[in-house]
Amino acid sequence: MKDTVKKWLEEKQVDMFLGYKMVHGHALPYCFQADRLDEVDDLVVSRERYSLEKMATHIAAVYPEMKIGMLARDCNQRALKVLDIWDQLKKDSVTTFNVNCCPSPLKNHGDCSYLEPSPVGPVKVELGIDNNMSVEHAEHLDQKERFAHWMYEFSKCIKCYGCRNICPVCFCKDCSLEHPELIRSGGALPTEVPLFHLVRAAHMAGRCIDCGLCEDACPMDIPLRLLYRKVGSSVSDLFGYRPGIDEGKSPFNLIGDAPTTEPRPI
Amino acid sequence: MTQKKMTFLQELLGFVGLEDRLHLAWISSAEAQKFQKVVTDFTEKIRTLGPSPLARDYQKAVSL
Amino acid sequence: MEYKLVPSICSYCGCGCGVLFEVMDGQLVGTMPLKSHPVSQGKLCIKGWNLHEHVISEERLQTPLLKTNGALQEASWDASIQTTAERFKKIIAEHGPDSVAVLASAKVTNEENYLIQKFTRAVLGTNNVDHCARL
């Protein structure tokens, strides 16, 4: 890995390489450059995941000609694909060094802080939604229970906007979550339940790549990944589109185009 | 496409426990009777479902 | 082109959440949570997420404001310090040192905050000193 990155930097295949470096015992995202080539020896694959592609997007917004290299897990690659489709970070300007991630029949080893189930206490089990629940399981809860439990989860929200800020595929300049006529602005907490979360969930349709960073960043431990997984499975069932995996624009970008599969009766 | 998008929204609302409160129907400007029927039927349906659980204090809903 | 990520601690409250500042060409452009931080474990509140904003904010005050004739008006540092000192002296002379209090800021350095409490205790002679980060 280190030799390849050195070679890329030396041969100007990339102007900079986003990877990780240990600083004071923390694996931090680090920008490696050709004028500091010996630093590449410190390049590590971190267990913690940062959205390197989001950083690359910020850099590309200021330096559009920059050729960026980065370490990429499966989720980073899906995010890069979505960012390319939405014209935020063109794929020609990014070179990825693919690293191990989610275990699968092809890869039996995974390096990711997200592979262990998240701890869930007794109160959450009684009142809320277990973050490790499957979409199928959550769908089959009794309607009253489902409603009450989701509202409990949403009512915990402290409106930190962390789920939006950390999201690798969130890039809109004007965010509807800050629109005073959609979501009331100001200090009242909890935020508008469940409008805030449903607006965001609907907006993530056709974009969400199921990286789980939102849930990871949520200080109130709301099972956002489960909610967006449901969004993803609905989009996949209805439109046959899987963001970050399938080519082409999101079906939510099309207006009045011919449906690709038979619509369901309403 | 609209039909699919609405189905998506219905599924999303259903997932958090807000079923059957969203309806989509195609009615031409010449179909006054159909319009009347759809609106009456949906009003009746909502009436049977009762007031929106969101209108109440959500804390009460939590303690259901 | 220079891009780096600087680990730091959120200055807003006593929790001390870990943050990561995004610095591009010497300019602070963003804040992110520090994932491996033992206190915050990669989570932040809205204040922490927007730590970088006050640094480059156009609304940031450039001069002190003095309330003259009922309205805040821009004033020089000398005039402001002079007025503050005179008012402090007057109030302490009339009502004693415990009639004044000082509220320190999370937006100045640790050393400056130390000086503020020293000033309040040793010069003004009161223990009425607090800090917005003392939760």
Side-chain angles (χ1 to χ4, degrees):
Chain A
M1 175 172 77
K2 289 170 187 168
D3 294 337
T4 317
V5 171
K6 271 191 188 165
K7 200 167 144 244
W8 283 359
L9 285 169
E10 268 173 343
E11 293 173 0
K12 300 263 175 238
Q13 199 177 334
V14 295
D15 297 320
M16 51 176 292
F17 188 86
L18 289 168
Y20 295 94
K21 184 182 162 183
M22 293 305 286
V23 181
H24 310 309
H26 296 275
L28 296 185
Y30 193 82
C31 174
F32 297 92
Q33 280 173 310
D35 52 347
R36 291 172 276 122
L37 210 55
D38 50 330
E39 285 181 350
V40 179
D41 291 328
D42 300 331
L43 176 66
V44 291
V45 180
S46 136
R47 231 176 134 265
E48 278 77 40
R49 287 182 305 152
Y50 287 87
S51 178
L52 295 175
E53 59 280 4
K54 189 148 196 159
M55 298 167 197
T57 314
H58 293 169
I59 295 168
V62 183
Y63 297 96
E65 301 302 316
M66 188 73 69
K67 285 178 285 172
I68 303 167
M70 60 177 262
L71 277 185
R73 292 191 164 102
D74 294 4
C75 53
N76 300 122
Q77 283 160 13
R78 294 199 298 273
L80 283 171
K81 191 153 198 167
V82 170
L83 289 170
D84 177 51
I85 287 170
W86 290 84
D87 298 324
Q88 297 299 312
L89 184 63
K90 295 316 286 177
K91 63 169 178 258
D92 312 335
S93 60
V94 183
T95 316
T96 54
F97 188 93
N98 299 341
V99 288
N100 209 353
C101 175
C102 314
S104 73
L106 296 172
K107 296 181 248 178
N108 53 15
H109 168 76
D111 290 308
C112 173
S113 54
Y114 230 105
L115 295 172
E116 294 134 30
S118 53
V120 177
V123 176
K124 198 164 165 82
V125 170
E126 200 193 323
L127 296 174
I129 304 256
D130 182 346
N131 293 32
N132 310 309
M133 203 185 270
S134 71
V135 173
E136 293 73 29
H137 187 178
E139 274 171 346
H140 289 104
L141 297 174
D142 165 67
Q143 186 262 329
K144 273 217 168 85
E145 188 191 346
R146 201 167 7 142
F147 177 72
H149 284 217
W150 274 109
M151 293 309 125
Y152 166 77
E153 291 290 352
F154 291 153
S155 67
K156 293 193 296 185
C157 179
I158 58 165
K159 213 177 177 184
C160 71
Y161 290 97
C163 47
R164 177 198 66 179
N165 293 348
I166 199 111
C167 180
V169 293
C170 258
F171 47 76
C172 307
K173 280 202 170 122
D174 292 318
C175 179
S176 50
L177 294 180
E178 285 176 7
H179 196 290
E181 301 197 346
L182 291 172
I183 307 284
R184 212 178 302 139
S185 61
L189 280 178
T191 178
E192 291 195 49
V193 176
L195 210 56
F196 185 90
H197 298 92
L198 292 184
V199 165
R200 187 168 144 78
H203 185 63
M204 292 324 286
R207 284 165 210 253
C208 176
I209 47 143
D210 188 32
C211 65
L213 284 171
C214 45
E215 192 173 307
D216 204 21
C218 181
M220 303 316 288
D221 213 17
I222 302 171
L224 293 167
R225 196 177 194 182
L226 177 60
L227 184 66
Y228 301 147
R229 270 190 174 155
K230 168 63 191 170
V231 169
S233 75
S234 284
V235 172
S236 161
D237 288 352
L238 287 163
F239 301 92
Y241 181 79
R242 291 163 303 163
I245 299 169
D246 294 325
E247 302 292 337
K249 290 217 168 202
S250 151
F252 284 80
N253 262 18
L254 308 171
I255 299 169
D257 226 15
T260 42
T261 53
E262 268 314 295
R264 284 188 193 174
I266 288 186
Chain B
M1 206 30 95
T2 310
Q3 195 171 353
K4 285 187 175 185
K5 285 179 185 171
M6 288 295 271
T7 315
F8 162 73
L9 268 184
Q10 283 167 331
E11 284 191 10
L12 176 62
L13 289 173
F15 188 65
V16 296
L18 287 165
E19 279 110 333
D20 302 329
R21 290 178 185 269
L22 185 65
H23 187 76
L24 175 72
W26 263 266
I27 309 166
S28 132
S29 58
E31 294 175 312
Q33 277 165 342
K34 189 178 174 193
F35 176 77
Q36 188 262 351
K37 191 178 174 327
V38 167
V39 172
T40 318
D41 288 355
F42 191 60
T43 315
E44 254 338 288
K45 190 174 160 195
I46 292 295
R47 217 187 294 279
T48 10
L49 283 172
S52 160
L54 292 176
R56 276 176 284 154
D57 187 6
Y58 63 88
Q59 283 297 348
K60 274 188 219 155
V62 167
S63 60
L64 267 179
Chain C
M1 150 70 205
E2 189 205 4
Y3 182 84
K4 59 181 176 181
L5 292 137
V6 185
S8 186
I9 303 290
C10 176
S11 55
Y12 273 117
C13 81
C15 265
C17 298
V19 294
L20 204 53
F21 288 124
E22 218 180 332
V23 182
M24 203 188 294
D25 295 324
Q27 275 271 346
L28 191 52
V29 293
T31 315
M32 262 176 282
L34 184 59
K35 297 250 171 187
S36 44
H37 195 269
V39 172
S40 54
Q41 300 175 348
K43 297 152 205 300
L44 287 180
C45 76
I46 189 155
K47 296 206 289 181
W49 269 109
N50 295 290
L51 270 174
H52 61 283
E53 282 194 357
H54 80 277
V55 177
I56 42 174
S57 171
E58 282 177 19
E59 290 175 24
R60 199 173 166 165
L61 288 178
Q62 307 277 328
T63 61
L65 299 177
L66 256 184
K67 202 168 198 172
T68 25
N69 305 326
L72 287 171
Q73 277 166 4
E74 289 192 1
S76 71
W77 279 103
D78 283 349
S80 313
I81 292 170
Q82 192 62 40
T83 314
T84 317
E86 279 164 12
R87 296 279 293 139
F88 264 144
K89 271 186 195 159
K90 192 162 163 269
I91 296 168
I92 291 169
E94 279 176 28
H95 306 285
D98 278 339
S99 57
V100 294
V102 174
L103 184 64
S105 164
K107 291 274 143 275
V108 299
T109 63
N110 219 20
E111 289 72 16
E112 283 165 324
N113 270 318
Y114 176 81
L115 288 175
I116 288 170
Q117 68 84 29
K118 204 70 181 166
F119 170 79
T120 315
R121 294 202 167 104
V123 180
L124 298 179
T126 174
N127 281 327
N128 295 341
V129 58
D130 211 340
H131 186 283
C132 63
R134 194 183 64 91
L135 277 185

